[in-house]
Amino acid sequence: MGPEERESRERTRANGASAVRRGSAERPRIRLDLPRTPRRTFLPEYDPEAFGRLSERIARFLGTGRFLVWMTATVIVWITWNVAAPGAWRFDRYPFIFLTLALSLQASYAAPLILLAQNRQADRDRIMQEQDRKQNERSIADTEYLTREVAALRMGLGEVATRDWIRSELQDVMRDLEQWQAVPVESDEHDR
């Protein structure tokens, strides 16, 4: 152990940090608050959102009447051509193996694309449900707050003098005054 190593150990002990945390010349310090730089890959890169949007467009088209009409017209033209055309122009003879292959290929691509579109829709629905749930929680909290405030106002209004109550009290005082004035006042002589 050389003097340089002893000196670096003493410095780390004095600072209260280990050499691993402080870093060394061989290994740079990794910051946890920053994302790592992406690694270079030799695989082709693609935008998953763009691929998802494309799959949704294809799935929407596959679910339309227009697609069914075009598919039916294509199959009818295909079969008619391969049955009625001259022998040299036919490219798919009677068992129509190439047509079967084309339809199978179309179905094998359509199914995963439709599933991908459904998964993306399910994710959107899940996010919408979460937002709706949060909105409902806020609405319930607001409603409970307003209910408590209305109850407090009712209790406060129960103690406030209303116009009808003041009117009835004034009428009672007026009646008492009228009765007091109606009683004959006895003379001072009589009191002596």
Side-chain angles (χ1 to χ4, degrees), residues 130-148:
E130 181 67 24
Q131 289 174 349
D132 289 345
R133 186 186 61 77
K134 287 179 181 177
Q135 180 64 35
N136 288 342
E137 286 176 357
R138 285 192 298 267
S139 296
I140 289 170
D142 290 345
T143 303
E144 289 174 352
Y145 172 76
L146 291 174
T147 302
R148 286 191 301 272

Side-chain angles (χ1 to χ4, degrees), residues 60-126:
R60 280 192 200 103
F61 176 69
L62 292 177
T64 62
R66 182 186 308 171
F67 171 75
L68 291 175
V69 168
W70 279 106
M71 182 62 96
T72 304
T74 302
V75 169
I76 290 172
V77 167
W78 185 295
I79 291 173
T80 305
W81 180 267
N82 285 303
V83 168
W89 290 359
R90 294 181 191 171
F91 56 89
D92 192 17
R93 302 248 175 225
Y94 165 64
F96 306 115
I97 295 173
F98 189 53
L99 176 64
T100 305
L101 176 66
L103 292 176
S104 298
L105 184 65
Q106 181 267 331
S108 68
Y109 275 100
L113 288 174
I114 291 170
L115 288 174
L116 179 62
Q118 286 177 344
N119 288 341
R120 286 175 52 88
Q121 184 63 42
D123 291 342
R124 278 194 297 273
D125 291 344
R126 191 176 313 112

Side-chain angles (χ1 to χ4, degrees), residues 4-35:
E4 294 172 359
E5 288 180 35
R6 277 189 224 133
E7 194 175 301
S8 70
R9 277 190 178 182
E10 288 174 8
R11 264 189 273 138
T12 57
R13 284 185 194 148
N15 293 337
S18 70
V20 175
R21 280 196 321 202
R22 283 290 188 184
S24 61
E26 301 93 35
R27 194 165 131 208
R29 183 175 180 198
I30 297 172
R31 293 200 47 180
L32 297 177
D33 61 336
L34 297 175

